[in-house]
Amino acid sequence: MGQRLSVIVVEKDRARALLIVDGLRDAGDFDVMVIAEETGLARRIAQRNPDLVLIDAGNPSRDVLEELALATGPNERPVAMFVDQSDGSLTKAAIEAGMSAYVVDGLRADRIKPILDAAIARFHMLQKMRIELQETRRALEERKSIDRAKGILMRARGIGEEEAYALLRKTAMDQGRKLADVASALVLAADLLK
Amino acid sequence: MSMTLRLGYVPLLDAAPLIIAEALGFAEEEGLSLDLNTAPSWAALRDMLAVGQVDAAQMLAPVPVAMALGLGRGPVRFEALCVLNLNGNVIGVSDALAAKMASAGFGFDFTDARAAGRALLAASPSLRIGVPYAFSMHRELLHYWLRASGAVAEQLDIRTVPPPRMAEALQAGEIDLFCVGEPWGSVAVENGSGTLLLPTSALWARAPEKVLATRLGWAEAEPALAGPLLRALWRAGRWLGRAENHIIAAEMLTAQGRIAVSAELIERALTGRVVTAPDGREHLSPQLITFFEGAAGFPWRSQAAWIGAALAGRHGLDVVEASATAADVFRSDLYRQHLRPAGAILPGASEKLEGALAEATAVPAERGQLILPADRFFDARIFDLTAPVR
């Protein structure tokens, strides 16, 4: 029973993989391996014969792992998808964190839980970082189209920057729309008229 | 005041009824607002539906059947409220295999499944085959076709490859053959990594492909949501079935990155004008995907039974029992109840002999008549739900 649990993390991005591995190391002494390559994924995992596989729920290669869950050969260890385990709250937490786990059947729940708790915490962190990145990008895009819309108005109507901005804001308020939406509509229309 | 329903789908051509129902206002007419969520994999979509992140989802027809048979280890059960489309998949081979088949005199007509099966097995005694998911029509139809063409199980190594990776896997020599939903087959042709051999409609002219799946019991508990949703999808299917809408449909499906390929690639499968080889060869295959014609959306109990029998055969379950269990997964009763008010032509029976029609045939409908198109299997076998054979 004292054997170290072996865990495979399927993750292409090196930085993300390291974060997850670090999280698992903090939680206990596990034998952790990262697979970055998606080619021959099922074969690589089968060779290693891990107790647990962790994969981003957003990874299309997740369907490859479903096949492992169906293994029925006499020498194959059955693998269960974590989503089917009886611990409902843990399952839900994992799905919300965007993580899927494949656990070898018969592994005691108290041995799995600390790993999954640590992994879920890390996936949460990664998800938060991803959302922040998206929001930053969107804000930047919005800024860009507002700047372009201002420029279009300044040229077309011969007005100053402040006046152009006020006009955009007034239009947005009158129409009950977001400033960025009005700006991008104007940019689109101007592109069409070119 | 419209009610919002959360739906999930995998970005593929056959998600079209869901996307069109929302984009063209068919849902709105029914007082529904659809919140469409894409899923990166079938396993992820199944989980989203299982835990209630979405209320209904586009699903591979065999998934709810497999669940009912206890395959795939889920405690959750789904049921199918309607068929979203028939077929829509293509089979493609690697350039190396295509060259070998061509040099043996095979003509690549994109039609004759018997000849294609023979030529394929003559060119390659063992085949590594990529399909999108363990429980899929891709897998069941390939298995059916190649076994009926004389292959034994040991010759076939069927494995899962995510559709966006299919072309890459073919090019890298990981697989020799694939079966995948459009537009991914056309993507493989476009980047020069494969030649298309057949559409799955050449294996079974009326094969159910994707269904609308919900958690068991949801539709009966929420008739005020299930009814409008089914009617909106039916109207979207009717719109998609009209040839004059195909070009605009292709534009709408690819707008805003809904399906992340060019409209031109989507158009090929919709119009049935398919480029089958990197040299630009084109074949006409008007039945490649069917959304509406001949009550395509009707979830026949006998379709589910065929899937149940196929799964049972491969997984060592009792075929008779599995067919009967499977038949109940396709809820033709709920479909009738909710589509009657929309004026849909509904067949008189909920089961039929699958593969029995060699040509379009008029059958009794609830009111009047319904023309059912030819529904043959390539080997002309007939599947009878009351006497499923192994």
Side-chain angles (χ1 to χ4, degrees), chain A residues 38-40 57-64 66-67 69-71 78-81 83-84 91-92 95-96 100 102 105, chain B residues 40-44 46-47 51 53 71-75 132-135 139 158-162 164-165 168 174 315:
Chain A
E38 284 175 6
T39 310
N59 189 330
S61 287
R62 208 193 132 185
D63 281 345
V64 177
E66 292 286 307
E67 282 209 334
L70 297 172
V79 175
M81 285 158 289
V83 68
D84 298 333
T91 303
K92 213 164 177 286
I95 289 175
E96 278 167 11
S100 331
Y102 290 79
D105 248 12
Chain B
S41 67
W42 292 107
R46 177 205 54 205
D47 292 352
V51 302
Q53 282 184 339
L71 298 167
R73 293 169 174 269
Y133 197 65
F135 300 118
R139 187 170 197 137
I158 306 184
R159 54 180 85 167
T160 304
V161 178
R165 276 207 70 242
E168 186 190 328
E174 290 170 47
H315 291 272

Side-chain angles (χ1 to χ4, degrees), chain A residues 106-173:
Chain A
L107 214 54
R108 277 190 16 228
D110 58 338
R111 296 198 70 199
I112 308 167
K113 199 170 178 314
I115 312 188
L116 290 182
D117 282 342
I120 287 169
R122 284 294 154 135
F123 271 86
H124 254 309
M125 204 169 106
L126 287 166
Q127 204 179 38
K128 227 180 114 199
M129 283 162 57
R130 186 149 51 184
I131 291 168
E132 274 166 14
L133 186 69
Q134 273 169 3
E135 274 169 6
T136 314
R137 253 190 220 135
R138 211 194 38 227
L140 200 66
E141 284 303 312
E142 287 185 2
R143 263 284 290 280
K144 261 198 242 161
S145 67
I146 291 170
D147 280 347
R148 279 195 63 197
K150 274 197 295 191
I152 292 164
L153 284 178
M154 285 158 69
R155 275 196 306 280
R157 303 181 61 149
I159 53 177
E161 188 178 343
E162 245 167 68
E163 211 178 329
Y165 185 72
L167 185 59
L168 279 175
R169 209 175 45 189
K170 184 176 181 312
T171 309
M173 277 169 66

